[in-house]
Amino acid sequence: QVQLVESGGGSVQSGGSLKLSCAHSGPPHTAYAMAWFRQAPGKEREGVAGMTGGGLTAYADSVKERFTVSRDRANNMMYLQMDGLRPEDTAMYYCAADQDWHSLRGEYRYWGQGTQVTVSS
């Protein structure tokens, strides 16, 4: 059984930083590709950043130069370092995983429950 558990969300002021973590448990091949998504109230879910086991990355234009995705495969973890946070980054952030790379499309098979990020101006 695959499980994804996010942590690290919270409330920060504009310009601040947060680091999200996603812990994966289950067969290793089910997390060859992992990604972060977010969904704000009243808006569609959008892909934020993703990374394959081989190091290929993808970022949404809105977060380039501010967010950095990384993985610790030995410990089955994925991270999202978020710097220069803006009020428009406020959303529930979700971790997703799959054995196939879907870039920032929402086609991942496995999903976590989410962690809330709130950025105040």
Side-chain angles (χ1 to χ4, degrees), residues 11-25:
S11 297
V12 296
Q13 290 191 327
S14 183
S17 298
L18 282 174
K19 186 174 184 177
L20 305 184
S21 300
C22 174
H24 167 266
S25 59

Side-chain angles (χ1 to χ4, degrees), residues 36-38 46-50 58-61 63 67 80 82 93 104:
W36 291 98
F37 289 78
R38 66 186 181 187
E46 63 173 343
V48 176
Y59 290 93
D61 288 343
V63 306
F67 291 10
L80 185 66
M82 304 186 295
Y93 283 71
L104 300 183

Side-chain angles (χ1 to χ4, degrees), residues 51-97:
M51 190 172 193
T52 69
L56 177 67
T57 59
Y59 290 93
D61 288 343
S62 60
V63 306
K64 283 180 181 177
E65 309 297 332
R66 299 190 299 124
F67 291 10
T68 304
V69 63
S70 62
R71 293 182 61 173
D72 177 355
R73 296 200 74 189
N75 292 298
N76 302 315
M77 298 291 296
M78 177 176 66
Y79 304 98
L80 185 66
Q81 177 67 44
M82 304 186 295
D83 299 316
L85 283 162
R86 305 166 180 168
E88 54 263 41
D89 294 318
T90 294
M92 184 72 77
Y93 283 71
Y94 298 91
C95 171

